[in-house]
Amino acid sequence: MSVKTPIYLDFAATCPVDPRVLEAMLPAFTVDYGNAASRTHVFGWRAEEAVERGRAEVAKTIGADPKEITFTSGATESNNLAIKGAAEFLADRGKHIITAVTEHKAVLDTCKYLERRGCDVTYLPVDTQGLVTPAQIAEAIRPDTILVSVMFANNETGVIQPIAEIGALCHERGVLFHTDAVQAFGKVPIDVQAMNIDMMSVSAHKIYGPKGVGALYVRRRRPRVRIAPQIHGGGHERGNRSGTLNVPGIVGFGEAARIAREEMAEESARILALREHLRARLSAEIPHAIVNGTLERHLPGTLNVSFAYVEGESLLMGLKDIAVSSGSACTSASLEPSYVLRAMGLDDELAHSSLRITIGRPTTRDEIDYLADRVKEQVERLREMSPLWEMVQDGIDLSTIEWTPH
Amino acid sequence: MAYSNKVIDHYENPRNVGSLDKDDDDVGTGIVGAPACGDVMKLQIRVEGGVITDAKFKTYGCGSAIASSSLVTEWVKGMSVDEAMKIQNSQIAEELSLPPVKIHCSVLAEDAIKAAIRDYQEKQQKPATEGAAE
């Protein structure tokens, strides 16, 4: 078995640009470099055509009309625009927003900002599998509810929410439905019509496109969704988002979306097979390896697993030639373990012990086997060093011990 | 986060991993930290004639926590109990070049050695009070 290290298995964080995407982008830097807003000459017209081709590809990937795509700098901006934009535009109608505790910080922190500005936000809990139910949302909707924002698939666990059911409920109750689909876009089929999605945030760099470009889908018909712009200026993007368009980025985004759409079925089957191979090996070869989040509704390439009695950061340190991430507190600035795993009812200890592995387009079976070998070796080594493992081997129930929290 | 070479060395080649018999009168055991906080250290010393002749540790925690406890076991061997009691977390942090966010790992290691010494001292006092011959 031969693999080239370091190995990248953190595709939920970002992806390399697909060479086909890079090739498509290059002319937009040096040849067709016009400003898409220049209406008076051929450079501008060409740039605008390139942007419109990109827009059409992104729209087609989610079953939208190209006019419903607003380009942004990325999904963080898209989430800000959707939530703040809707809250501001609908301020006269209501001030209540519903979201879930496991959302990305780009949604949670935007909601917290709006709370300080007078909005009411309901943060729905999730079950042990990481799911919110349409029933929870139905119960939380009030007469002044203007927006429901629930992510399509979770970035840490890969768990997919019941989006179509939530969308149907929101439409029935006349409440706007926004979803942060950063992780799901290009990985699983999305149809904004069938799923009754009103606004959706997506990003290019999670689908082998460039960083610094994303989009917000904003429904134009049934209902026509209106949002207040958050960046003012020249009135680009139908007034939704001013600023000179990132033409090379948009060209790359379009090409990345086309490839993701056309190769989705084949690619997701291959990636799912790799993930299942990894899961089978880890489960069979390492005792007390616990998969976090239901695999029944799940992205193909994500696996979040806790190795009890081993702390996540020390495990990452042992996997030094492999790039993965951990829910351990020690890998974050806050020293708090993953809020997503804790919201699912995981013990802090298991949250500290979690590893997130995300498989991508370039991943090979040899790389997966290399990872499984290294994880097994390091978990065994660290457990030999772990006082918790020793206590458990001696038959001590850790929950009966009085610890000294610090 | 980049680790110092010393942290990496202790993480990859931890000194004195293991356990001593906690029921032995010459052994002091300190267990500090909590699983929920992401680190638990168990540090044990064997004391003979007032001198620490052996030390062992087991740590659940990040690389800096493992390195801090490994380093302390190395230091205390050959020290008198009184000398070991004077080890400061700042010395550990300095030796390992711990960044501010990891200072708590060195604090935990200081707590662990002090807890082990106290456990040893309590064990010594018990027979003394029972005997009360003087």
Side-chain angles (χ1 to χ4, degrees):
Chain A
M1 178 168 92
S2 76
V3 294
K4 201 167 145 250
T5 58
I7 294 172
Y8 190 78
L9 287 166
D10 201 15
F11 291 89
T14 192
C15 300
V17 169
D18 188 296
R20 293 169 284 181
V21 169
L22 180 62
E23 200 181 329
M25 289 172 70
L26 287 175
F29 285 104
T30 52
V31 184
D32 299 321
Y33 52 81
N35 185 329
S38 296
R39 296 286 157 83
T40 53
H41 51 68
V42 69
F43 292 87
W45 303 333
R46 278 200 192 142
E48 193 189 8
E49 281 163 21
V51 164
E52 292 316 314
R53 280 196 299 275
R55 196 188 303 279
E57 292 293 355
V58 172
K60 194 172 172 189
T61 307
I62 57 172
D65 184 280
K67 291 195 184 86
E68 297 175 310
I69 302 296
T70 296
F71 285 115
T72 65
S73 64
T76 291
E77 187 192 328
S78 299
N79 285 332
N80 272 264
L81 175 58
I83 298 169
K84 289 179 191 167
E88 194 180 324
F89 197 86
L90 298 171
D92 293 343
R93 237 196 65 196
K95 59 185 174 80
H96 183 230
I97 296 169
I98 299 168
T99 187
V101 290
T102 51
E103 293 292 308
H104 191 272
K105 290 287 182 188
V107 167
L108 293 177
D109 285 357
T110 299
C111 288
K112 284 189 189 124
Y113 166 84
L114 288 172
E115 279 183 294
R116 292 196 298 274
R117 312 272 295 197
C119 284
D120 265 357
V121 182
T122 299
Y123 300 92
L124 296 173
V126 297
D127 66 14
T128 55
Q129 299 306 316
L131 292 167
V132 291
T133 62
Q136 278 176 286
I137 290 166
E139 207 168 299
I141 290 177
R142 321 189 305 209
D144 64 339
T145 304
I146 50 169
L147 177 71
V148 170
S149 180
V150 174
M151 72 199 323
F152 207 111
N154 186 268
N155 48 308
E156 289 192 34
T157 60
V159 168
I160 296 174
Q161 299 293 353
I163 293 300
E165 292 87 336
I166 296 172
L169 170 76
C170 289
H171 269 204
E172 191 189 303
R173 305 284 290 268
V175 176
L176 287 184
F177 175 43
H178 165 253
T179 184
D180 171 358
V182 167
Q183 297 294 338
F185 175 62
K187 315 278 170 61
V188 294
I190 298 178
D191 183 332
V192 290
Q193 298 305 335
M195 295 174 171
N196 286 303
I197 296 167
D198 294 317
M199 292 189 283
M200 182 164 80
S201 305
V202 295
S203 178
H205 75 107
K206 309 285 193 190
I207 60 162
Y208 310 92
K211 294 168 184 61
V213 61
L216 180 67
Y217 158 77
V218 185
R219 176 178 287 276
R220 275 168 60 88
R221 293 180 58 224
R222 288 181 295 167
R224 176 177 172 82
V225 176
R226 306 279 300 276
I227 50 174
Q230 302 299 307
I231 296 180
H232 302 90
H236 307 75
E237 298 298 89
R238 298 169 188 277
N240 278 344
R241 200 274 191 184
S242 289
T244 297
L245 288 174
N246 173 1
V247 180
I250 291 166
V251 169
F253 192 5
E255 180 66 357
R258 181 193 68 77
I259 295 167
R261 185 180 69 242
E262 290 176 359
E263 301 182 356
M264 188 184 296
E266 195 186 330
E267 180 166 282
S268 62
R270 189 187 76 85
I271 287 175
L272 180 64
L274 287 177
R275 189 199 75 199
E276 284 304 291
H277 174 60
L278 175 64
R279 186 174 69 89
R281 277 204 59 186
L282 295 179
S283 301
E285 297 174 31
I286 304 176
H288 305 284
I290 302 143
V291 173
N292 298 314
T294 177
L295 290 173
E296 307 273 309
R297 321 174 39 89
H298 206 271
L299 293 177
T302 304
L303 187 65
N304 190 307
V305 55
S306 290
F307 302 98
Y309 321 118
V310 171
E311 194 275 333
E313 187 194 335
S314 65
L315 181 55
L316 288 190
M317 208 172 156
L319 304 172
K320 59 184 174 186
D321 54 3
I322 303 170
V324 291
S325 68
S326 168
S328 154
C330 285
T331 59
S332 69
S334 66
L335 292 184
E336 290 292 322
S338 159
Y339 66 91
V340 171
L341 298 179
R342 280 167 50 153
M344 290 159 61
L346 225 67
D347 284 349
D348 280 3
E349 189 241 317
L350 282 176
H352 279 294
S353 303
S354 73
L355 214 59
R356 180 189 72 178
I357 300 141
T358 39
I359 298 165
R361 190 171 286 166
T363 307
T364 66
R365 193 178 165 98
D366 280 352
E367 288 177 330
I368 293 297
D369 280 321
Y370 182 85
L371 170 77
D373 290 345
R374 292 290 86 73
V375 170
K376 179 170 186 269
E377 167 192 298
Q378 290 303 318
V379 168
E380 283 171 1
R381 184 180 94 92
L382 291 166
R383 278 183 179 164
E384 281 308 305
M385 233 189 275
S386 166
L388 305 181
W389 180 248
E390 184 181 58
M391 289 173 194
V392 170
Q393 300 306 301
D394 290 345
I396 297 169
D397 179 356
L398 296 181
S399 64
T400 63
I401 296 179
E402 271 189 49
W403 300 101
T404 53
H406 52 285
Chain B
M1 185 182 311
Y3 301 97
S4 71
N5 288 335
K6 280 180 182 160
V7 169
I8 292 170
D9 181 39
H10 277 282
Y11 170 80
E12 288 181 348
N13 311 293
R15 296 16 159 205
N16 309 308
V17 173
S19 295
L20 302 171
D21 178 4
K22 66 177 176 10
D23 297 325
D24 188 329
D25 279 347
D26 293 335
V27 170
T29 302
I31 298 178
V32 296
C37 303
D39 32 31
V40 175
M41 281 181 195
K42 185 186 82 165
L43 207 146
Q44 294 183 297
I45 51 171
R46 177 183 298 285
V47 184
E48 288 164 317
V51 173
I52 297 171
T53 56
D54 200 4
K56 296 277 183 204
F57 85 93
K58 284 203 173 188
T59 291
Y60 161 86
C62 65
S64 302
I66 290 170
S68 297
S69 37
S70 169
L71 177 70
V72 166
T73 58
E74 221 179 13
W75 276 356
V76 297
K77 274 204 224 179
M79 275 187 182
S80 70
V81 168
D82 291 344
E83 284 172 325
M85 204 66 184
K86 286 181 194 141
I87 291 176
Q88 298 284 315
N89 82 285
S90 53
Q91 297 167 286
I92 302 165
E94 193 186 329
E95 173 68 15
L96 295 173
S97 311
L98 297 182
V101 69
K102 295 293 184 187
I103 296 299
H104 71 278
C105 297
S106 64
V107 173
L108 208 58
E110 181 192 320
D111 291 349
I113 183 65
K114 288 195 161 71
I117 293 171
R118 272 197 298 276
D119 181 56
Y120 167 75
Q121 287 172 336
E122 277 165 22
K123 277 185 184 172
Q124 303 311 303
Q125 277 160 12
K126 267 187 203 160
T129 45
E130 276 167 24
E134 292 174 19

